[in-house]
Amino acid sequence: MRTPMIAGNWKLHKTIAEATSLASELTAAVASNQNVEIVVAPVYTALSKVAETLAGSNVKLAAQNCYPEPQGAFTGEVSPLLLKDAGCEYVIIGHSERRQLFAETDESVNKKALALAEGGLGTIFCIGETLEERETGKMFDVLRQQVTAGLKNLTTEQMKTVVVAYEPVWAIGTGKVATDEQAQEVHSFIRGLLAELYDAQTAAATRILYGGSVKPGNVDGLMTQPDVDGALVGGASLKAEDFARIANFEPAA
Ligand code: 13P
């Protein structure tokens, strides 16, 4: 019942020309893939040009961040309204790089989640523990806090447009992917938590993506896990061939 999602987070990479060229290579490579929701998240400056390249294809556009107010005296910020205007259907919030480098908190992530829900945009809501938190037995508490505070006051109806991305910080950009079992363990915990915070139906319908060193060589095993509904891909999304192979994953029967 859950349509898998494969999303590429391009982070701070690619000029407008490079981004549109990657987008057009990608649309060609995944044109026959009708079973997966495929999303790419370029930098702000490339969004509207990439939107033009993606028009009519099965690849959707996302932004990597937003500011939770529609407009006003907020120098340097971009609102959900403007991201929608640029062609975005989703916005990534709460990425660990934003939490670690730009002082994003559960509270600020929550404001963004509410603003996106009100603005009619889909949300890719990122959570994840550090290696230290995992090794000292705090992982489940940390994840519970991130989910509870980050999604606070979102209604069951609003949860329909939220996708959760579990990205263990120690697996991001390190080449050290979580094992299939580690991913499944946490995804199943998150789904249980959603059932507790919302209801069984919401938990069963919410997609939970895994992120952290997803590559063509490990996606199939991850996607075989029952609670892994897709992937949020960094490095490997910068090459059309690799990202297309990830989007065209082949889970074991
Ligand atoms: P990598 O795939 O490069 O590890 O990055 C994961 C990520 O942070 C996606 O948001």
Side-chain angles (χ1 to χ4, degrees), residues 7-11 92 95-97 126 165 167-168 171-176 210-215 231-237:
N9 175 5
W10 294 357
K11 305 192 181 182
I92 299 171
H95 193 281
S96 65
E97 285 151 17
C126 304
E167 299 206 301
I172 295 178
T174 58
K176 218 176 132 188
Y210 167 80
S213 298
V214 175
K215 308 284 176 209
L232 181 54
V233 186
S237 70

Side-chain angles (χ1 to χ4, degrees), residues 26-165:
L26 182 64
T27 51
V30 299
S32 61
N33 186 333
Q34 297 303 328
N35 306 319
V36 176
E37 190 173 13
I38 304 169
V39 180
V40 293
V43 294
Y44 283 149
T45 49
L47 285 174
S48 60
K49 278 290 176 194
V50 171
E52 285 171 18
T53 308
L54 299 180
S57 80
N58 56 337
V59 180
K60 297 178 179 175
L61 190 67
Q64 300 174 16
N65 182 32
C66 70
Y67 188 72
E69 295 294 335
Q71 58 191 29
F74 305 107
T75 303
E77 296 299 327
V78 179
S79 68
L81 195 73
L82 299 188
L83 294 173
K84 206 171 173 181
D85 183 45
C88 292
E89 293 184 49
Y90 286 96
V91 177
I92 299 171
I93 58 169
H95 193 281
S96 65
E97 285 151 17
R98 296 214 54 86
R99 292 177 190 260
Q100 292 191 328
L101 304 172
F102 303 100
E104 196 131 295
T105 62
D106 290 331
E107 290 67 32
S108 62
V109 175
N110 180 239
K111 284 191 185 143
K112 295 178 185 192
L114 290 165
L116 289 169
E118 272 163 36
L121 275 149
T123 296
I124 301 175
F125 166 67
C126 304
I127 56 169
E129 83 288 356
T130 63
L131 188 59
E132 198 213 337
E133 287 161 349
R134 177 175 274 263
E135 286 178 342
T136 53
K138 298 193 193 110
M139 174 176 80
F140 291 117
D141 288 343
V142 167
L143 296 170
R144 172 180 286 274
Q145 163 66 21
Q146 290 175 342
V147 171
T148 308
L151 299 179
K152 194 173 161 197
N153 295 331
L154 256 80
T155 64
T156 304
E157 188 58 30
Q158 290 174 329
M159 277 302 290
K160 289 182 181 161
T161 55
V162 173
V163 177
V164 178

